[in-house]
Each structure stands twice: as C-alpha cells, then as structure tokens.
C-alpha cells in the first residue's frame, strides 16, 4: 500500500483509471471482437479494484457496498464528490 | 437501474467565483444542447432500439451523460456558492438569483427552462441515431462557445474534458449507424424504419 497518496491524489488516480474503463466500454460496445481493447479493459479493471480497495480502507466508501458497518454509517457522513474544496 | 458512485467522472476544483461564467455554463445543465437532454434522449431511445449492441451503447453513453450533468452542476455550484450580492448584480446573475438564489435549476443561459421538446425519441433507429450524432456536434459547439467566453483555467480544464467526450460519442454513434445499416437488406435502400412494425 502506497501511504504517500493524499485523498485527492488517490481519488484522481481512481478517476483516471475509471475513465479508461468508460472509454474502453464505449469502444467495445461498437468493436466487441477487438482483443486488444478487451485485454486493456481487464488490466484497467484489475487496477481499479486494487486502487478502490486502498481508497476505501483509508478514506471511506466509494459505492454503497463499501460500507462495512465497522465504522458506523459512513455513506452519509463522508464528503459528497460534488461538494469540492471549501 | 443505477447505483451512485461517490466520485465525479472528472474532478472539479474551482477556486474563483464567477457569476457571468456560471450563467453561461448553466446552459449545458438544462439548455437545448445540454447534458440533461443528452442523458434523457439516449436513455429513452434505447427502449425501441432493435439492435442490442446499439441499445447497449445508448445505455452506456446515456449513463455517462448523467455523470456529465453532475459535473456541470458542480461547476455552476462552485462558481456561485461564494458570490456576494454585488458580484451577482455585476455578473448578470440577478434575474436567476431572484427565482433560484444559488440553487441549481435546469435552464438555458437566457433562462428558458429545460423541456422534453428539446429532444426527440422517434422509435426509428436511423432517425434517432442521426439526431444523436447531431446532438453531440451541437454540444461540442456549445462547449467551444463556452471556451471562447470563459478564461478561468480551473473551469476551462473541465469544459475541455466534456468537449472531448462529445467527439468520442459522435464517433461511436457513427459506428452504431453503420451497424444498423449493415443489417438492412438491399430492398430497404431508402432505410425505412427497421424497428416498426416488428417483423419476425
């Protein structure tokens, strides 16, 4: 685990990875037989899973199923993405 | 169905309030070429789309447009939340402020509310996809216009991201149009509606 990441850095890294997956999804929608795109999709998917796990452990849930209950109801307590900085 | 992800598709970090920019950018929230119309257009059209691959594309792009709606709303919010009354008056935001304070409401830059009349869902795959390609170009031009009117780099960075997505979506809809056309037989040269009436 890379503890040097700030919340913002890790969040941006996850957003960038997720963006690659969004782009590959649309590409694969119209090129379903493209093996290279599918390979990239699986690589970014694995990266997203690992980064998300790291984020959730440090900063709180990204999706509702990340709420373990151990730290209480974190879903409605941690900041909303549209709040932005102060 | 949809489930919420606590992350914007692209980060929005605006440091400087700007009433004038907010008024212009609001058009991509609820204007004729905006993200609300885009999302509802594709998510409505998918139901009558006969090719599953193209229906899936409409679903995926429609879903991304909802993420863009959230980004535009976030931009307007961050541009307006700390405005003083003086700045609201100087920036021409006073008419909007009278009705909505600094809440986010779907309207175009001159205050015309969003309407379903701004979009079409015709149940004809070629007509719908031609509209979708046009819509992506119109949204791209609107973002080009916004970039001519706004110069805050915090804002322009996000607008450029959204503009590029319009170009990618246009490309994908063009490919979808080809997928539908490939399935028409030679007797359907003029591309009459291949979705209705349903043929078995």
């Amino acid at each position: 685990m890379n503890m040097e990441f700030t919340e913002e850095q890790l969040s941006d890294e996850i957003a960038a990875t997720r963006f690659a997956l969004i782009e590959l999804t649309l590409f694969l929608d119209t090129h379903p037989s493209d093996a290279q795109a599918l390979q990239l999709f699986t690589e970014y998917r694995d990266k997203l899973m690992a980064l998300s796990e790291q984020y959730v452990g440090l900063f709180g849930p990204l999706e509702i199923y990340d709420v373990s209950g151990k730290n209480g109801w974190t879903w409605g307590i941690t900041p909303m993405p549209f709040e932005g900085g102060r | 169905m949809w489930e919420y992800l606590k992350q914007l598709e692209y980060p929005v970090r605006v440091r400087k309030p700007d009433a004038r920019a907010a008024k212009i950018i609001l058009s991509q929230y609820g204007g004729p070429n905006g993200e609300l119309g885009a999302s509802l257009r594709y998510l409505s059209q998918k139901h009558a789309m006969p090719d599953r691959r193209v229906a899936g594309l409409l679903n995926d792009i429609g879903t991304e447009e909802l993420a863009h709606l959230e980004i535009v709303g976030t931009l307007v919010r961050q541009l307006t939340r700390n405005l003083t009354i003086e700045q609201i008056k100087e920036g021409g935001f006073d008419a909007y402020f009278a009705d909505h304070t600094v809440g986010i409401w779907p309207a175009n830059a001159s205050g015309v509310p969003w309407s379903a009349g701004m979009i079409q869902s015709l149940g004809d795959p070629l007509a719908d996809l031609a509209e979708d390609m046009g819509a992506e170009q119109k949204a791209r031009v609107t973002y080009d216009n916004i970039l001519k009117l706004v110069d805050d780099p915090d804002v322009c960075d996000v607008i450029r991201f959204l503009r590029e997505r319009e170009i990618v979506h246009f490309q994908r809809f063009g490919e979808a149009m080809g997928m539908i056309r490939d399935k028409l037989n030679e007797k359907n040269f003029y591309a009459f509606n291949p979705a209705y009436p349903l043929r078995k």
Side-chain angles (χ1 to χ4, degrees), chain A residues 8 11-12 14-15 18-19 22-23 25-27 29-31 62 65 75 78 80-85, chain B residues 3-9 11 13 56-57 60-61 64 70 74 78 81 161 165 168-169 172 175:
Chain A
E8 188 171 299
S11 174
D12 284 358
I14 291 172
R18 197 185 300 284
F19 174 67
I22 290 170
E23 181 69 327
T25 299
L26 299 188
F27 183 82
D29 280 346
T30 54
H31 304 78
L62 287 167
Y65 309 110
W75 183 246
T78 49
M80 295 304 277
F82 46 84
E83 288 173 20
Chain B
E3 290 179 315
Y4 191 66
L5 190 71
K6 269 192 146 176
Q7 186 169 52
L8 295 178
E9 189 192 0
R13 299 183 185 110
L57 180 71
D60 289 337
I61 295 183
E64 189 182 355
E70 186 182 37
T74 301
Q78 293 188 10
R81 61 184 168 187
F161 169 80
R165 299 311 293 152
V168 171
H169 293 173
R172 298 284 96 86
E175 290 157 0

Side-chain angles (χ1 to χ4, degrees), chain A residues 22, chain B residues 7-10 35 39 61-74 161-162:
Chain A
I22 290 170
Chain B
Q7 186 169 52
L8 295 178
E9 189 192 0
Y10 193 87
E35 304 291 356
S39 56
I61 295 183
T63 299
E64 189 182 355
E65 304 293 9
L66 287 173
H68 295 173
L69 182 73
E70 186 182 37
I71 290 174
V72 175
T74 301
F161 169 80
L162 293 168

